[in-house]
Amino acid sequence: MARGGDARGTDRPDPTDWVTRAADDAIRHAGGEDAVRAEGRTITCASGASPSGPVHLGNLREFLTVHFVAEEIRRRGLPVRHLHSWDDYDRFRKVPAGVDPSWADHIGRPLSAVPDPWECHASWAEHFKEPLVASLRAMGVEMEEVSQTEAYRRGDYVEQVLQAVAHRDRIETILGRYRTKAAPVAESEQEAAALADSVLEDDEATGAGDGNGSGDLARFPYKPYCRGCGRDTTTATAYDDESADLAYTCTSCGFEGVTNLRTDHEGKLVWKVDWPMRWSVEGVDFEPGGVDHASPGSSYTVGKEVVKAVYGARAPSFVGYSFVGAGGQVKMSSSRGGVPTAADALKILEAPVLRWLYVRRQPKQAFNVDFGPEVVRLYDEWDSLTRKAADPAKRDAQVLAYERASSTAAAGTLPTPPVVVPFRLLSSVADVTAGSAELVSRIVGDVGHEHDSVADLEPRLSRAMTWMSEYVPETERTTVRSEPDTARLAALDEDEELWLRQLLDRMPDRLELDETTALIYGVPKLARGLGLDDAPTDEVKADQKAFFRLLYELLVDAERGPRLPTLFLALGAEKVRSLLTP
């Protein structure tokens, strides 16, 4: 794709394209395009996530928002990096559903120090990082990863930690100013509850109101992990500014000790100081966050003042994004269990389609991910947009979103099937054939989608088969009769007998889609003395409905099912005859 301005056919940003606007803001934050080129600097677009549980589709918005903005900057020929921080040095807050309750013993320890209950990774954090990283790669997302555990323990932030501690009174003044804050704005009671929960988590991570010491140590901006039990349930008791010795006691195990902030690297800054500290260290020009992080008194609002007052730096340009829900949840929660992840979505959605869900909407627009019937409609929309994008005369914001979703600067065009077959057809045939890839391939070839092998239908075929077998309720799947319904066949009325006789007499041994369609729709016409090509009368239309219902009853023991021509081709003439012959 051409650079951002050229791709739109104009140098003026499309006002509906949020990616363009965010990229413009990031470039301005970096000093402007000319300065970036002259100084040879790299624009930094940052994301961050805590691997406290499955990195679900709500969290995915953090990654993809940054990815799309970095991609736009890259396409303009400017050096840019997507820097992702894994907040694996955050505390383990609570035991999620489905995990042995004994893991509560690890609450308060760093996520990187909590064992993996499933015993397949080195730690709790790694267990949840790995599948998300694999999914992002499948989606064409490339990023530099930073482990905050490693960064803190290496001493990367020593000077910044000491600077924060030296300015603790100034930090407390800023935090105190926002401590009585306005309630977050929400569009529903559910979203308000989710926002309130986010603010609570934010305060816990900040140490707000936790009695962290007394006097000028009451809200000390650095929290050591206990040397005795590894938890962050520590209370500062004394600090020496000259030596950087911090004395503390642990309320969990009773340990009393001293850590040196200059040499020991045994803790981290509280969240509302940690985030702006990293902006200054990493030179972040753009970073998004959930709308909860931009509400009065929360992380970004406070961070803008902290980064300026303590580090003499500027907060990055910011985009607040709304929640992504699924299964009735307005905001997904990893601790509740059962939330869909990117890996789950990629089982049924092609990578460009999943990317498109996020790039086509303004970040502040909340949406739900539906793995039910909406999947079929989503693929229909995507295929329609694909056809539109192929016409240079139809370039608009929708096509630009399609192009952002379907390719990346580094990977090029993301995998799509060489032969595009409608998802509804693939899933319908997969349903009737009980998921036989070879049989599906034969049938879709017979209905007009010529291809050389099953591979030409991938990756969509596998996703259609998975969707039908794992996401469509068994009660909604098609079950072909194994034997004729002799009782129903014996009870046919005069019209029904005539319809079946006309059908069976005219049905060839090898079925073709067009001829089969014409025959199925034409039988009621023939019974009324019309030709197959004649327009149906009102009486014929009523007969067609009754005839179709009869066919479904005799073939799949239901009143409805997949399109009858597709069903006939899937079953084959011999099977159809065996089930319809009185």
Side-chain angles (χ1 to χ4, degrees):
M1 185 201 298
R3 285 171 49 188
D6 297 332
R8 293 184 294 273
T10 173
D11 289 332
R12 297 183 62 189
D14 186 328
T16 64
D17 180 39
W18 67 266
V19 179
T20 297
R21 295 196 307 271
D24 289 343
D25 288 344
I27 293 169
R28 277 194 292 270
H29 187 280
E33 186 170 333
D34 291 342
V36 169
R37 295 185 190 281
E39 297 170 11
R41 65 159 297 187
T42 298
I43 299 173
T44 296
C45 298
S47 59
S50 176
S52 57
V55 184
H56 52 65
L57 294 178
N59 303 135
L60 186 60
R61 200 165 204 176
E62 170 84 10
F63 295 85
L64 291 183
T65 299
V66 176
H67 168 73
F68 287 125
V69 173
E71 277 289 295
E72 170 64 17
I73 295 171
R74 186 173 291 113
R75 285 187 170 109
R76 297 185 192 186
L78 297 172
V80 63
R81 63 173 179 163
H82 176 175
L83 179 68
H84 178 73
S85 287
W86 286 112
D87 293 317
D88 49 12
Y89 209 37
D90 285 359
R91 75 191 309 265
F92 181 55
R93 294 182 61 250
K94 54 187 174 181
V95 181
V99 174
D100 190 327
S102 66
W103 250 252
D105 184 57
H106 297 292
I107 290 176
R109 293 182 175 129
L111 293 166
S112 54
V114 177
D116 178 6
W118 302 274
E119 300 182 344
C120 51
H121 291 83
S123 69
W124 181 280
E126 292 303 317
H127 182 88
F128 293 110
K129 284 186 197 177
E130 190 273 332
L132 187 277
V133 171
S135 296
L136 288 172
R137 286 176 181 153
M139 297 173 69
V141 176
E142 297 183 358
M143 57 191 191
E144 297 178 24
E145 298 176 61
V146 175
S147 162
Q148 289 304 313
T149 297
E150 295 175 5
Y152 266 104
R153 288 181 173 169
R154 279 195 306 261
D156 291 0
Y157 307 134
V158 167
E159 293 307 316
Q160 289 74 25
V161 167
L162 293 173
Q163 198 167 347
V165 170
H167 290 86
R168 56 188 179 276
D169 292 340
R170 184 176 296 181
I171 291 172
E172 172 55 23
T173 298
I174 295 171
L175 292 175
R177 189 158 57 243
Y178 289 101
R179 207 154 273 137
T180 303
K181 53 201 173 217
V185 177
E187 296 181 0
S188 67
E189 290 184 9
Q190 283 180 303
E191 190 164 307
L195 280 164
D197 184 58
S198 293
V199 172
L200 174 62
E201 293 179 17
D202 207 16
D203 285 344
E204 288 180 3
T206 307
D210 63 1
N212 184 21
S214 59
D216 69 337
L217 299 177
R219 297 183 187 276
F220 202 71
Y222 182 87
K223 193 83 160 164
Y225 282 106
C226 175
R227 198 174 295 165
C229 67
R231 300 182 183 90
D232 69 345
T233 49
T234 54
T235 299
T237 57
Y239 180 68
D240 185 286
D241 284 286
E242 185 174 344
S243 68
D245 281 341
L246 174 66
Y248 66 89
T249 61
C250 177
T251 58
S252 290
C253 69
F255 179 84
E256 297 182 6
V258 175
T259 185
N260 186 278
L261 304 192
R262 189 170 283 114
T263 61
D264 290 339
H265 320 319
E266 295 177 310
K268 67 188 293 290
L269 292 170
V270 296
W271 168 242
K272 286 183 180 177
V273 182
D274 176 81
W275 199 17
M277 177 274 292
R278 283 190 260 154
W279 293 340
S280 70
V281 172
E282 295 159 350
V284 179
D285 298 298
F286 169 77
E287 183 163 4
V291 291
D292 46 325
H293 286 308
S295 60
S298 61
S299 306
Y300 183 75
T301 309
V302 173
K304 284 195 296 184
E305 295 199 30
V306 170
V307 74
K308 181 179 180 180
V310 177
Y311 299 110
R314 193 158 57 109
S317 60
F318 180 83
V319 167
Y321 54 78
S322 288
F323 300 133
V324 176
Q329 298 181 53
V330 174
K331 182 191 177 190
M332 299 183 199
S333 169
S334 297
S335 62
R336 292 174 190 161
V339 293
T341 64
D344 294 326
L346 287 172
K347 291 179 181 178
I348 60 172
L349 299 178
E350 295 168 11
V353 177
L354 181 55
R355 289 164 58 92
W356 181 56
L357 280 176
Y358 292 81
V359 74
R360 68 174 177 167
R361 293 179 172 90
Q362 300 292 328
K364 289 187 178 180
Q365 181 183 356
F367 67 94
N368 289 322
V369 180
D370 182 356
F371 288 169
E374 181 62 28
V375 169
V376 176
R377 291 189 288 272
L378 183 66
Y379 270 104
D380 284 346
E381 287 183 55
W382 174 256
D383 290 345
S384 176
L385 185 55
T386 301
R387 292 188 291 271
K388 178 181 177 180
D391 185 351
K394 294 183 177 179
R395 296 189 60 80
D396 58 13
Q398 290 182 335
V399 171
L400 182 57
Y402 169 85
E403 292 172 339
R404 294 193 194 285
S406 59
S407 66
T408 71
T413 302
L414 295 170
T416 54
V419 177
V420 177
V421 179
F423 187 85
R424 63 175 64 245
L425 175 59
L426 285 177
S427 58
S428 179
V429 176
D431 178 26
V432 176
T433 59
S436 167
E438 292 299 331
L439 191 51
V440 172
S441 174
R442 180 185 67 76
I443 293 169
V444 298
D446 288 345
V447 301
H449 298 280
E450 296 182 4
H451 56 283
D452 295 329
S453 69
V454 171
D456 288 341
L457 307 180
E458 295 293 359
R460 184 170 297 189
L461 174 57
S462 295
R463 283 153 177 77
M465 293 169 66
T466 299
W467 180 72
M468 181 54 65
S469 63
E470 297 184 14
Y471 290 90
V472 176
E474 195 165 340
T475 54
E476 297 181 18
R477 296 180 206 163
T478 302
T479 303
V480 178
R481 287 185 181 275
S482 58
E483 300 292 339
D485 184 352
T486 54
R488 181 68 180 88
L489 288 168
L492 295 174
D493 62 28
E494 185 176 340
D495 286 338
E496 291 171 339
E497 285 186 5
L498 177 60
W499 293 336
L500 289 182
R501 187 165 62 251
Q502 293 273 17
L503 175 68
L504 295 173
D505 287 347
R506 292 171 174 268
M507 190 173 68
D509 291 336
R510 178 170 176 79
L511 302 179
E512 301 289 344
L513 180 63
D514 292 342
E515 290 79 1
T516 302
T517 302
L519 179 59
I520 291 173
Y521 279 83
V523 160
K525 298 179 188 178
L526 298 173
R528 292 270 180 182
L530 301 175
L532 290 177
D533 295 330
D534 290 339
T537 63
D538 289 342
E539 291 84 0
V540 167
K541 290 179 181 178
D543 288 348
Q544 286 175 331
K545 290 182 180 179
F547 180 45
F548 297 166
R549 187 164 53 249
L550 172 65
L551 292 177
Y552 282 126
E553 289 176 5
L554 294 175
L555 295 174
V556 297
D557 192 20
E559 293 187 355
R560 60 187 179 87
R563 293 188 69 248
L564 284 167
T566 303
L567 179 59
F568 271 53
L569 265 68
L571 298 180
E574 183 178 352
K575 181 68 172 179
V576 170
R577 288 184 190 280
S578 71
L579 295 176
L580 298 185
T581 302

